[in-house]
Amino acid sequence: VQLMESGGDSVQAGGSLRLSCAASAFSYCMGWVRQVPGKEREGVATIDDNGRISYVDSVKGRFTISKDNAENTLYLQMNLLKPEDTGTYYCTAAEGRTCWWKRAVDSAYWGQGTQVTVSS
């Protein structure tokens, strides 16, 4: 599975961005993980083959994960961005029966990452 993210940018707090991930194929569990320099990678959101979705608490109500099965594209709509959302965002793909935001960091397949910078 090959993954390629796009859509990262620099925005002010309160702004919005939409990240995209072009996938060679979808796996059972698709997700987004972010990393801030000096901190561990953190799962952000996942969506499985049946459309079940999970989010880390800090983005609930602000971020929306979705996918276009016809185009093999995963999205992350990010609204009301905060400085603490700054980081490199990775698209991930995993097989298996568990699809949960906290497990996204254990995914087998990763994109190269796209940078999101939110200034106050």
Side-chain angles (χ1 to χ4, degrees):
V1 176
Q2 295 181 326
L3 306 169
M4 182 172 292
E5 306 93 337
S6 61
D9 205 344
S10 297
V11 297
Q12 291 193 326
S16 297
L17 283 175
R18 188 174 81 158
L19 305 183
S20 299
C21 171
S24 59
F26 277 156
S27 296
Y28 168 70
C29 182
M30 302 297 296
W32 291 94
V33 170
R34 65 185 176 190
Q35 184 165 27
V36 177
K39 295 187 177 181
E40 292 186 356
R41 290 179 174 179
E42 174 187 51
V44 175
T46 55
I47 183 169
D48 72 10
D49 268 358
N50 297 306
R52 288 183 292 241
I53 290 171
S54 71
Y55 297 103
V56 63
D57 282 350
S58 60
V59 307
K60 284 180 180 177
R62 300 188 299 121
F63 290 12
T64 302
I65 188 171
S66 63
K67 60 179 182 172
D68 184 330
N69 291 323
E71 297 292 330
N72 280 350
T73 303
L74 180 73
Y75 300 102
L76 186 67
Q77 177 66 44
M78 306 187 293
N79 298 328
L80 299 174
L81 283 161
K82 303 176 181 180
E84 51 264 43
D85 295 318
T86 294
T88 302
Y89 283 70
Y90 298 90
C91 175
T92 63
E95 297 297 349
R97 298 176 63 182
T98 299
C99 192
W100 183 39
W101 65 266
K102 205 167 188 178
R103 296 287 301 275
V105 295
D106 299 324
S107 298
Y109 303 101
W110 293 68
Q112 84 288 348
T114 187
Q115 179 66 34
V116 172
T117 303
V118 185
S119 58
S120 57

